[in-house]
Amino acid sequence: MTRTLYLHVGAPKSGTTFIQQVLAQNSDLLAERGVLVVGPRLQLIRAAMAVREDKRLATLPPEAAQSWEQVVAKVRDWSGESAIVSYELFAGASQEQATAALSLLEGVEVHVVVTARDLGRAVASAWQEQLKFGLTKSLEEWTPPGEDAPRSEWGWRTMQPANVAVRWGATVAPSRVHIVTVPRVSSDPGELWHRFAAATGLADIPGLDIAVPPANESLGAVEAEVLRRVNVALDGAIDSSRERSVWLRDLLAHHVLAPLGGRPLRANSAQLQAARAQATDAIAAITAAGYSVHGDLDDLLPQGEAVEVSTPDAADVADSATKALAALLSWARTSGADPRSEVSPPQVSPAASGVTPAEAPRGVVDAAKGVVRASVVRATAPKRDRRIKELEARIKELESEVRRARALHLRVATLSDLVSDLLLPSALQRRSITRETLNDYRQDSL
């Protein structure tokens, strides 16, 4: 049985994608050295939902509710020295939920690992992640939900490391609660990994390959505004979290808008002031608790200048929207979408989208949003149409088989009557009926 579990519970947007890529890339080598990297990711996502008693579990297969128990079983069944579980949205669990989850690991030495970054940058990142799931508020209008928002995945409940450490570390010795800070500036691009490795007992394992492709998931300020306006134009047309993750996050945000680059998002002065207060509180609480720190706690303090008005210039938005249209057109062409589909794209007017003509030079932004909405809402239409045609063809085949079966049944019944009559004694045979039946059988069947 595994002796030690390193449970990396977050926070979101704190280098978790990089860390998880390195773990996945080296999972075979780590297994040879006695370290299990628990996965797949889908199971960890569902495990975090189960731990947090997420209501969305009701929409998943029944076995999803047992995902945390399945993760625990993998840890217990591992014959090596240690195991690592890494998924950022464990961070949102309450103290009671975390304690219940850890109670299933009795006999295993659990270390809780919390990664954290500059909390000023975390604010803008959290807003951006909300955009990818349909948020329509601008950055100026948005405030991170507080610690007392139990369902929040993108707020101070998950981003402030001391909050997470207190909840997950309630039954763990302080020396086994590890705070790993994301280096603000480092000449070594692998510094975050080295800090994480020191916290998880991996620092002495040679031969690990930490060169992973950069995850280009961040949007520039202009591109984020394009996405926000698309969300307004969609007006709830994509109403499930799963669909939004596919079309808004994966396709539009990550595949189309993120590669366009652009100037980075920055929080305003009020948001930076709130972030500084959170960071100061976190540093004090972490120090007082005696947690193990890997890195510099000052990395949590917001740096950089605030921006008072983050709404980009309309011409820049139009330019980015035009490039997004071109990228979407290329994607649609290579993905097999059929522009001749009988389904007409929905029309989006400036009034419906909440954008005035002055904000959309030459209608480019409105056109962009209309096409994006059509692409997102109708992206599955070709597949659906093909499936309908396949089903209709199959129905015709089945109907034809039924007709053939009925005809065969009638022929067999007629022949049975004829044979039965011929087997009767001559005195009892009805020769006129026999001749009529025989003629009918020859005409219909021969």
Side-chain angles (χ1 to χ4, degrees):
M1 183 182 77
T2 307
R3 292 183 57 188
T4 307
L5 170 65
Y6 295 97
L7 180 58
H8 178 208
V9 297
K13 306 302 290 185
S14 63
T16 53
T17 299
F18 166 71
I19 289 170
Q20 290 156 7
Q21 284 179 319
V22 173
L23 288 172
Q25 182 166 284
N26 293 277
S27 60
D28 291 342
L29 175 58
L30 288 170
E32 293 175 3
R33 304 300 172 86
V35 182
L36 172 68
V37 178
V38 180
R41 181 175 173 83
L42 178 60
Q43 186 176 57
L44 298 181
I45 292 172
R46 291 178 172 181
M49 294 175 71
V51 167
R52 298 186 341 256
E53 300 174 293
D54 194 311
K55 295 179 180 180
R56 291 172 293 183
L57 275 174
T59 66
L60 299 178
E63 60 269 19
Q66 302 302 313
S67 295
W68 175 248
E69 285 79 359
Q70 295 164 6
V71 168
V72 170
K74 286 183 177 181
V75 172
R76 288 192 173 280
D77 292 343
W78 177 243
S79 58
E81 181 70 19
S82 65
I84 297 178
V85 170
S86 175
Y87 181 59
E88 55 271 22
L89 291 184
F90 282 111
S94 68
Q95 182 172 316
E96 293 74 17
Q97 290 167 340
T99 299
L102 294 179
S103 68
L104 300 182
L105 289 158
E106 185 177 357
V108 178
E109 182 181 287
V110 177
H111 291 245
V112 173
V113 182
V114 183
T115 48
R117 68 184 296 193
D118 177 325
L119 294 187
R121 296 178 62 188
V123 171
S125 293
W127 172 74
Q128 179 184 135
E129 290 302 315
Q130 294 282 64
L131 284 184
K132 296 173 185 177
F133 285 86
L135 182 70
T136 58
K137 287 184 178 181
S138 67
L139 182 56
E140 289 84 4
E141 298 172 314
W142 186 75
T143 301
E147 166 66 17
D148 57 352
R151 299 295 176 187
S152 171
E153 295 178 347
W154 302 99
W156 296 126
R157 182 180 182 84
T158 57
M159 295 188 301
Q160 209 264 43
N163 290 346
V164 180
V166 165
R167 284 184 267 112
W168 274 98
T171 59
V172 177
S175 61
R176 290 194 274 119
V177 176
H178 304 265
I179 308 297
V180 178
T181 64
V182 178
R184 186 177 290 110
V185 179
S186 174
S187 58
D188 180 1
E191 177 60 24
L192 173 59
W193 171 257
H194 298 316
R195 294 179 181 185
F196 181 83
T200 54
L202 303 180
D204 296 329
I205 296 181
L208 296 180
D209 180 6
I210 66 171
V212 296
N216 187 16
E217 299 176 350
S218 295
L219 304 180
V222 175
E223 290 67 38
E225 177 61 13
V226 171
L227 178 57
R228 189 192 70 79
R229 294 190 184 190
V230 168
N231 291 340
V232 174
L234 284 171
D235 193 24
I238 305 178
D239 57 2
S240 81
S241 178
R242 171 61 182 163
E243 290 294 296
R244 287 193 292 266
S245 70
V246 171
W247 301 111
L248 290 180
R249 184 191 66 187
D250 295 346
L251 173 61
L252 185 54
H254 293 175
H255 185 73
V256 174
L257 292 172
L260 298 180
R263 63 179 174 84
L265 285 165
R266 295 205 306 267
N268 61 36
S269 58
Q271 291 165 336
L272 285 184
Q273 183 177 357
R276 180 170 288 276
Q278 291 283 346
T280 301
D281 290 346
I283 292 171
I286 291 168
T287 303
Y291 299 144
S292 299
V293 177
H294 307 268
D296 188 344
L297 289 179
D298 283 347
D299 287 333
L300 304 178
L301 293 169
Q303 298 292 314
E305 297 180 358
V307 56
E308 295 309 317
V309 179
S310 64
T311 302
D313 181 77
D316 292 337
V317 174
D319 180 63
S320 181
T322 302
K323 293 175 181 176
L325 276 172
L328 276 173
L329 181 62
S330 296
W331 173 84
R333 180 173 177 270
T334 57
S335 67
D338 186 356
R340 296 163 296 184
S341 170
E342 295 179 0
V343 181
S344 300
Q347 301 299 312
V348 182
S349 66
S353 66
V355 181
T356 65
E359 294 174 308
R362 299 180 302 280
V364 173
V365 173
D366 289 331
K369 289 187 292 186
V371 174
V372 167
R373 180 175 182 178
S375 298
V376 172
V377 175
R378 299 173 55 241
T380 58
K383 292 183 179 179
R384 184 176 63 247
D385 293 342
R386 285 195 296 271
R387 184 56 178 159
I388 289 173
K389 290 179 181 178
E390 292 171 357
L391 291 173
E392 288 175 344
R394 182 57 180 154
I395 289 171
K396 289 181 180 179
E397 292 175 0
L398 292 172
E399 289 175 342
S400 178
E401 291 176 8
V402 169
R403 286 193 296 270
R404 287 195 297 270
R406 285 176 177 172
L408 178 61
H409 177 75
L410 290 173
R411 290 197 295 272
V412 170
T414 300
L415 183 59
S416 297
D417 291 341
L418 176 61
V419 172
S420 296
D421 193 64
L422 290 173
L423 291 175
L424 290 172
S426 299
L428 297 178
Q429 290 180 2
R430 296 169 293 176
R431 297 187 181 279
S432 61
I433 295 178
T434 299
R435 283 194 300 271
E436 182 179 346
T437 301
L438 184 58
N439 289 334
D440 290 342
Y441 182 77
R442 286 171 174 169
Q443 180 178 350
D444 294 340
S445 305
L446 299 181

